[in-house]
């Protein structure tokens, strides 16, 4: 498995020859369902070895080992016919044996998946590459594949709008470390994308506590839940959690904004929410009616922030990625911020610099950390600086976890410095809850801007203007 990266690349090169596969997003989706079945088959080997009563939810002839693993097996029109006329239709209509059957997850994966390839010969070549190059015989194999899978997810950044489903690993890791989810707590990502926050939560809990008993393993398995409305990231998130030892990933293919806030019961509330909700987009007509009248808007990020404060238990903790537009937003956004500060202790806002989410978006983002149950008295701000010599982040030079050492060292011994400052709730009320507060510890200073820096400043200015326009459109709906 030492050449796994080249295996994935060669698979994508084969797909580029197929006239039915158009663009990176379709290639990743095509690879996604095949990797899911391959990984699921490997997991079934483990389950069969440890549980003599295990029975696969997938019909025998549809299991990977019985149609895909033989390099001399079906090919050409026969293979294409089997995949299009048998595999997909039957998995889409898979009947679970009970309400806990893992077959529910398999069916959910395939309900919105498609076989884009039109050449059965090229499809066979792809299957053979997967069989030859991807194995899970050792822990090292699995760990290496996790790294490659992470790279596949990063490729989404160049796949048009699909890039919205990927949050840089350094950001998810830092947020999880600061929120500190614990084994036995209920952990939710209501807009989980490809599962990055949840995977980091799983890894964090395993580092914090040895999972050395069936009871602890069950707590880990049942404590982590994600929801994703788009089919491609839903499939990738389910596979991602399986790769990280979650045998039955609880990833719902749904949109939590479609659930009326009055329908949430106390038993459905959670201890921890870690998420990067979609921003800059609008929900379909009618979704806002699931929220109280004073908080109705179609702006996705605002609705999710309201939902998060509603779904957290008292004492619950959250780490949320939000754009600058939320901080300075008015109208409904102001009322949501007022509710947040009244019901939760918004103790920290980490202001990220431009380019963290490049190339998907140049909108500046922020990390909000809060705890429900006590009102906010003071909000600490921390302006994350670029590393020395760095003018902007990009795809080849992304933000890395080591940069957050500044915040980590400051976190438990907070003092104002060149990066950190504190604002009292009284001052925020006088500002009509505008949270877009610049660093007062950096004096205004003249400097000669390079062309790149000037373009960057213009890009930020246009982004902020567009955010105001989108907010105005939403309010006028």
């Amino acid at each position: 498995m030492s050449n796994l990266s080249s295996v994935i690349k060669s698979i994508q090169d084969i797909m580029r020859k197929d006239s039915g596969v158009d663009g990176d997003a379709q290639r990743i989706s095509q690879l996604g369902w095949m990797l899911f079945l391959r990984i699921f088959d490997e997991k079934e080997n483990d389950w069969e070895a440890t549980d003599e009563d295990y029975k696969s939810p997938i019909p025998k002839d549809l299991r990977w080992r019985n149609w895909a693993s033989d390099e001399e097996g079906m090919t050409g029109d026969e293979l294409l016919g089997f995949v299009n006329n048998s595999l997909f239709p039957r998995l889409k209509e898979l009947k679970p044996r009970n309400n806990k059957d893992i077959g529910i997850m398999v069916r959910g994966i395939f309900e919105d998946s498609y076989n884009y390839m039109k050449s059965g010969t090229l499809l066979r070549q792809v299957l053979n590459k997967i069989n030859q190059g991807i194995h899970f015989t050792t822990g090292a194999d699995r760990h290496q594949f996790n790294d490659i899978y992470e790279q596949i997810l990063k490729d989404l950044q160049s796949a048009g709008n699909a890039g919205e489903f990927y949050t840089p690993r350094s950001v998810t890791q830092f947020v999880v470390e600061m929120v500190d989810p614990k084994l036995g707590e209920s952990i939710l990502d209501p807009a989980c994308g490809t599962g990055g926050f949840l995977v980091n939560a799983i890894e964090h809990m395993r580092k914090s506590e040895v999972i050395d008993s069936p009871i602890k393993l069950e707590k880990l398995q049942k404590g982590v839940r994600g929801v994703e409305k788009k089919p491609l990231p839903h499939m990738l998130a389910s596979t991602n959690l399986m790769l990280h030892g979650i045998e039955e990933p609880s990833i719902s293919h749904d949109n939590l904004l479609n659930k009326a806030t009055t329908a949430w019961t106390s038993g459905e509330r959670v201890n921890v929410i870690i998420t990067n909700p979609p921003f800059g987009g609008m929900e379909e007509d009618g979704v806002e009616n699931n929220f109280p009248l004073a908080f109705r808007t179609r702006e996705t990020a605002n609705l999710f922030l309201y939902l998060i404060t509603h779904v957290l238990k008292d004492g619950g903790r959250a780490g949320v990625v939000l754009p600058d537009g939320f901080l300075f937003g008015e109208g409904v956004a102001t009322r949501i911020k007022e509710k947040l500060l009244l019901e939760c202790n918004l103790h920290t806002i980490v202001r990220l610099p431009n380019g963290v989410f490049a190339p998907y978006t140049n909108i500046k983002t922020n990390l909000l950390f809060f705890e429900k149950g006590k009102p906010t008295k003071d909000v600490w701000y921390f302006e994350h600086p670029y590393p020395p010599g760095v003018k902007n982040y990009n795809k080849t030079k992304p933000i890395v976890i080591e940069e957050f050492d500044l915040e980590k060292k400051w976190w438990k011994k907070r003092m104002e410095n060149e990066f950190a400052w504190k604002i009292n709730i009284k001052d925020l009320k006088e500002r009509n809850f505008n949270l877009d507060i610049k660093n007062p510890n950096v004096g205004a200073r003249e400097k000669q801007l390079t062309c790149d820096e000037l373009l960057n400043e213009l890009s930020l200015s246009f982004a902020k203007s567009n955010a105001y326009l989108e907010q105005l459109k939403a309010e006028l709906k």
Side-chain angles (χ1 to χ4, degrees):
M1 213 151 124
S2 58
N3 295 319
L4 187 50
S5 181
S6 62
V7 170
I8 297 297
K9 183 180 183 302
S10 64
I11 288 171
Q12 292 176 323
D13 287 342
I14 294 170
M15 288 184 188
R16 288 187 177 93
K17 300 176 184 177
D18 193 291
S19 62
V21 186
D22 183 18
D24 287 338
Q26 286 191 4
R27 273 190 289 276
I28 293 169
S29 179
Q30 180 79 21
L31 181 58
W33 68 259
M34 289 187 284
L35 285 177
F36 171 80
L37 285 179
R38 176 74 173 94
I39 292 163
F40 190 80
D41 196 60
E42 290 279 357
K43 289 288 184 183
E44 288 198 301
N45 284 334
D46 295 342
W47 299 332
E48 288 167 343
T50 56
D51 181 2
E52 61 183 18
D53 294 325
Y54 176 79
K55 292 184 180 178
S56 176
I58 299 178
K60 184 177 180 180
D61 61 319
L62 303 185
R63 297 178 75 180
W64 179 273
R65 66 192 68 176
N66 293 324
W67 69 271
S69 61
D70 182 2
E71 294 185 14
E72 300 298 324
M74 287 186 290
T75 187
D77 291 343
E78 181 186 9
L79 176 60
L80 203 61
F82 170 80
V83 169
N84 290 336
N85 303 324
S86 186
L87 181 74
F88 268 80
R90 290 164 66 192
L91 291 182
K92 285 176 186 284
E93 298 177 4
L94 198 62
K95 290 182 170 54
R97 296 162 293 195
N98 54 62
N99 60 5
K100 294 183 178 180
D101 189 2
I102 196 173
I104 296 173
M105 179 191 71
V106 177
R107 183 182 65 191
I109 293 292
F110 277 84
E111 279 177 342
D112 290 293
S113 295
Y114 302 92
N115 173 46
Y116 293 105
M117 296 187 73
K118 292 183 177 180
S119 167
T121 303
L122 291 174
L123 178 57
R124 167 49 62 189
Q125 292 178 25
V126 170
L127 296 175
N128 289 350
K129 285 286 185 183
I130 292 173
N131 288 317
Q132 293 164 6
I134 298 175
H135 305 284
F136 299 94
T137 53
T138 68
D141 285 342
R142 295 175 191 233
H143 180 75
Q144 188 184 9
F145 188 79
N146 290 342
D147 292 341
I148 297 301
Y149 194 75
E150 183 79 17
Q151 183 60 48
I152 293 171
L153 300 187
K154 288 178 74 172
D155 287 345
L156 283 173
Q157 288 182 303
S158 61
N161 289 336
E164 70 187 271
F165 306 119
Y166 181 78
T167 305
R169 183 177 177 83
S170 55
V171 173
T172 60
Q173 186 177 339
F174 171 69
V175 170
V176 167
E177 287 181 22
M178 297 304 98
V179 175
D180 190 24
K182 294 177 171 60
L183 190 66
E185 291 186 317
S186 49
I187 301 157
L188 171 68
D189 184 342
C192 72
T194 54
F197 276 105
L198 299 177
V199 164
N200 272 281
I202 292 165
E203 292 176 345
H204 178 79
M205 287 185 285
R206 284 191 170 128
K207 288 177 184 176
S208 303
E209 184 169 348
V210 178
I211 312 297
D212 57 359
S213 71
I215 293 175
K216 288 184 177 181
L217 182 59
E218 186 176 10
K219 282 183 179 180
L220 181 66
Q221 299 267 3
K222 291 185 176 180
V224 178
R225 181 188 172 212
V227 182
E228 175 51 50
K229 72 175 183 178
K230 298 289 182 70
L232 172 58
H234 168 254
M235 172 176 61
L236 294 173
S238 298
T239 310
N240 207 0
L241 263 65
M242 285 181 62
L243 282 168
H244 288 83
I246 303 300
E247 293 183 356
E248 298 180 29
S250 181
I251 306 291
S252 302
H253 187 192
D254 200 357
N255 182 1
L256 282 188
L257 299 181
N258 284 330
K259 182 174 182 176
T261 54
T262 54
W264 287 87
T265 65
S266 58
E268 292 177 302
R269 286 177 162 76
V270 298
N271 302 110
V272 172
I273 295 179
I274 39 179
T275 190
N276 175 15
F279 48 82
M282 294 288 168
E283 291 298 308
E284 61 190 70
D285 291 342
V287 169
E288 69 274 15
N289 296 328
N290 293 315
F291 294 77
L293 184 61
F295 302 99
R296 289 179 183 173
T297 174
R298 289 177 58 216
E299 210 290 321
T300 303
N302 289 348
L303 290 176
F304 267 109
L305 199 281
Y306 181 94
L307 180 70
I308 290 164
T309 61
H310 184 71
V311 172
L312 274 178
K313 294 179 178 180
D314 276 353
R317 312 178 305 286
V320 185
V321 183
L322 287 170
D324 273 6
F326 173 78
L327 299 190
F328 59 72
E330 298 178 344
V332 172
T334 296
R335 294 192 287 276
I336 291 174
K337 286 180 284 187
E338 182 179 10
K339 179 178 185 293
L340 168 66
L341 294 167
L342 180 65
E343 297 180 2
C344 303
N345 177 20
L346 175 61
H347 54 81
T348 312
I349 297 177
V350 175
R351 308 213 65 176
L352 298 176
N354 189 49
V356 171
F357 285 83
Y360 168 62
T361 179
N362 281 322
I363 295 175
K364 288 185 72 175
T365 51
N366 307 270
L367 309 178
L368 276 64
F369 297 89
F370 51 91
E371 182 175 337
K372 186 174 178 179
K374 295 180 180 179
T376 302
K377 294 182 180 179
D378 299 292
V379 178
W380 276 98
Y381 287 78
F382 194 102
E383 184 175 54
H384 185 88
Y386 287 119
V390 174
K391 304 287 188 186
N392 199 359
Y393 297 115
N394 54 49
K395 188 177 179 181
T396 58
K397 292 182 179 179
I399 189 170
V400 296
I401 187 61
E402 289 77 15
E403 293 179 42
F404 288 105
D405 287 345
L406 274 173
E407 286 90 337
K408 293 178 187 178
K409 290 175 183 176
W410 166 86
W411 199 265
K412 292 183 179 179
K413 295 180 180 179
R414 301 189 173 196
M415 293 181 64
E416 290 209 15
N417 59 37
E418 61 182 309
F419 307 116
W421 66 101
K422 182 171 65 173
I423 304 295
N424 185 267
I425 185 63
K426 180 182 176 182
D427 295 326
L428 291 174
K429 288 179 179 178
E430 291 176 353
R431 293 174 54 86
N432 197 27
F433 303 102
N434 183 342
L435 300 175
D436 185 23
I437 300 174
K438 305 304 180 187
N439 185 350
N441 299 328
V442 177
R445 55 184 183 267
E446 293 183 2
K447 66 173 185 175
Q448 187 70 34
L449 295 179
T450 66
C451 288
D452 284 346
E453 288 171 332
L454 183 59
L455 289 171
N456 199 32
E457 292 294 322
L458 286 170
S459 175
L460 288 174
S461 177
F462 290 142
K464 186 169 284 192
S465 298
N466 287 335
Y468 275 123
L469 287 172
E470 291 299 329
Q471 178 189 315
L472 183 60
K473 288 179 186 177
E475 297 300 327
L476 294 175
K477 290 288 183 181

